[in-house]
Amino acid sequence: MIAGGTRYWPDIDLQPILKNVAQAADRERAWFFQTNPSADRLPAAHYLAISGGGDDGAFGAGLLIGWTARGDRPVFKVVTGISTGALVAPFAFLGPQYDNVLEAVCSHIDRRDIFRLRGLAAILTGESLTDDTPLAHLLEKYITTAVLRDVAREYAKGRLLFIGTTDLDVRQAVVWDMGAIASSGDPSAIDLFRKVVLASASIPGIFPPVMIDVKLADKQYQEMHVDGAVTKQVFLFPAQFIPALQSANPLNERERHMYIILNGRIDAEWQTVTRRTSTVAGRAVSAMLQRQAVDDLFHLQMVAEQDGIDFNVAYIDAKFAYPRKRSFAADYMQRLFRYSMDEAVTGTSWRKSLPRDEWPSVDSVAAQASVWH
């Protein structure tokens, strides 16, 4: 059952999540100055957002492991994940000690480890094309009580791990505070933690929705949650909290770095489209999601520029041209994982801005100016 203060609807009301972030800042100050009594200011803050992308999630996993090998991967103040990024985010948050899990989850699996196709009768009468039991079992294997204990420990230091889902009942983006869940002490916390990650990665129609138990006004009911990428491809925190914290306490004036991992391409990837309903629909949805991801990235870049944050973005470059024969093909994921790891080791993964020709129009920017990122 959901405890208070573990999830937020930022598009409806920003105040609860702003309060959460301010409380995390208080925890960070208390922990840091207690352990570093001679310090006169907080260290640099590093923020990481990991996008959706299906089997392209191998890109983000390889990048993080290569970053570890390079020797300059930071400890992140905030980590967010959505869709495929939700599978990576907890282990990115916990650091290099979980790199072996990242590699196992994102490069040593194939589609049999993610889903099973349903029979025709089940498809016609059910809620999805596939059964996600294999993915649920994968989460049970790797999201353990030790993982929750480690997340709770870092949460106490003021670090934040957020995962996004979409609540279909109200058609709204939901942000889950995974550190608060891990720290709740509730025996069902590990089940909720896994369900949130599973829901964030559950593409509607392809995977079944995840039902989450809720208690409100002494009444119990269930909410239907699906892929967070339905509402956003990548997200961080509300931009408003940074200047608010700076004005509240001069110790919060600190160097800040934003890192965005887009598990996908920026360039227009040419592909012959077979004239079949499923192929045409799939290609159209893919194009829509790619455009949404670019818009989300552009707005994050704008936020960084406005607030004086060092902006860094990584995405699959056009020079990666290994063919994908089908979704979640093991050879494709392994090759992508190796490519991104090598790029990270050599320091060529990160760019300081999006390609100019990919920037959204002025009208598009204005229309989304009030959206939280």
Side-chain angles (χ1 to χ4, degrees), residues 36 45 77 81 92 105 107 111 136 198-199 212 217 228 231 278 328 339 341 348 359:
N36 300 273
K77 161 71 176 171
V105 170
S107 73
R111 62 193 304 167
L198 181 62
I212 297 180
T231 44
S278 60
F328 295 100
Y339 154 79
M341 186 169 68
T348 55
W359 287 22

Side-chain angles (χ1 to χ4, degrees), residues 62-73 95-97 99 344-345:
L63 189 156
L64 288 162
I65 293 173
W67 203 353
T68 298
R70 181 177 168 82
D72 56 356
R73 175 176 162 185
Q97 70 197 53
D99 279 358
V345 169

Side-chain angles (χ1 to χ4, degrees), residues 175-287:
V175 173
W176 296 83
D177 186 338
M178 307 304 281
I181 293 172
S183 304
S184 67
D186 190 317
S188 64
I190 191 167
D191 181 58
L192 177 59
F193 198 105
R194 292 167 178 161
K195 277 190 171 184
V196 170
V197 174
L198 181 62
S200 186
S202 295
I203 305 168
I206 305 299
F207 297 113
V210 176
M211 307 306 296
I212 297 180
D213 296 327
V214 176
K215 186 175 183 180
L216 185 63
D218 294 326
K219 291 185 178 180
Q220 295 186 4
Y221 63 101
Q222 288 188 316
E223 290 178 349
M224 180 181 288
H225 287 260
V226 297
D227 194 342
V230 170
T231 44
K232 297 187 188 300
Q233 285 294 300
V234 62
F235 74 100
L236 261 173
F237 37 70
Q240 297 93 317
F241 92 87
I242 295 179
L245 289 183
Q246 284 182 316
S247 62
N249 190 328
L251 289 175
N252 282 305
E253 296 178 1
R254 62 200 300 191
E255 184 181 322
R256 290 161 295 151
H257 304 269
M258 181 188 297
Y259 299 92
I260 314 298
I261 298 176
L262 175 65
N263 290 307
R265 294 178 176 271
I266 294 290
D267 62 302
E269 183 184 13
W270 186 89
Q271 177 182 323
T272 300
V273 180
T274 306
R275 297 181 66 176
R276 287 202 307 264
T277 300
S278 60
T279 308
V280 172
R283 184 66 170 172
V285 170
S286 175

Side-chain angles (χ1 to χ4, degrees), residues 47-52 78 80-82 232-242 256-262 292-314 350-354 359-360 365 368-369 371-373:
Y47 313 117
L48 174 67
I50 311 171
S51 83
V78 179
T80 72
I82 208 156
K232 297 187 188 300
Q233 285 294 300
V234 62
F235 74 100
L236 261 173
F237 37 70
Q240 297 93 317
F241 92 87
I242 295 179
R256 290 161 295 151
H257 304 269
M258 181 188 297
Y259 299 92
I260 314 298
I261 298 176
L262 175 65
Q292 180 184 334
V294 172
D295 286 354
D296 287 345
L297 286 171
F298 180 76
H299 286 283
L300 284 169
Q301 182 175 327
M302 287 182 59
V303 167
E305 291 174 354
Q306 292 168 0
D307 290 324
I309 304 174
D310 172 48
F311 178 81
N312 304 271
V313 61
W350 299 107
R351 297 164 174 83
K352 291 297 182 181
S353 67
L354 295 174
W359 287 22
V365 173
Q368 299 186 54
V371 176
W372 80 288
H373 289 279

